[in-house]
Amino acid sequence: MESREYIEIVRKVLDIESGVRERAADEVTDRLSAYSPAQASALATLLSAAAVSEEENSALEAELHAILELMSTGHVRLDHVSQLQEIRIEQLPPELGEYVTDVLEG
């Protein structure tokens, strides 16, 4: 992916508006084959950091889904998403808690 496009998606992933973050996470999954290994791992790390502080369940679900999809590329290791361990699973709806567990189990 070209640097300009990559920076744009990173900006969206980190946007203040949850709707923009959610759409950005969906866009990440739509373009899996476009990322270099470094871009994929960096995006997964940023998405993980965003997920830790995410307050909107729909955005969190999209972020977790994008992380799982990025992990499926083989370019993302568990240590890239280790921040997810900060999420208090017991405070999430069950389906989102299961999503976090799935990601952390690789």
Side-chain angles (χ1 to χ4, degrees):
M1 170 176 282
E2 292 182 16
S3 295
R4 179 187 52 76
E5 292 174 292
Y6 182 71
I7 292 298
E8 184 60 31
I9 194 117
V10 166
R11 285 183 178 138
K12 291 176 186 176
V13 164
L14 301 175
D15 198 272
I16 195 164
E17 297 292 328
S18 64
V20 174
R21 292 190 305 275
E22 182 178 350
R23 287 188 300 279
D26 290 339
E27 187 177 335
V28 166
T29 62
D30 291 341
R31 306 190 68 192
L32 288 177
S33 63
Y35 306 116
S36 70
Q39 289 172 333
S41 61
L43 266 176
T45 300
L46 290 172
L47 283 161
S48 296
V52 168
S53 60
E54 188 59 68
E55 296 180 0
E56 294 294 327
N57 286 344
S58 60
L60 177 58
E61 182 176 4
E63 291 159 354
L64 294 170
H65 178 73
I67 293 165
L68 275 173
E69 292 294 316
L70 286 165
M71 290 178 86
S72 75
T73 67
H75 303 305
V76 178
R77 298 185 315 264
L78 201 50
D79 63 322
H80 290 126
V81 298
S82 62
Q83 307 91 301
L84 292 176
Q85 294 172 349
E86 297 174 35
I87 294 177
R88 302 186 71 119
I89 294 173
E90 66 277 359
Q91 294 178 351
L92 295 176
E95 63 277 0
L96 289 179
E98 290 173 17
Y99 231 142
V100 173
T101 301
D102 287 346
V103 172
L104 290 174
E105 291 178 351

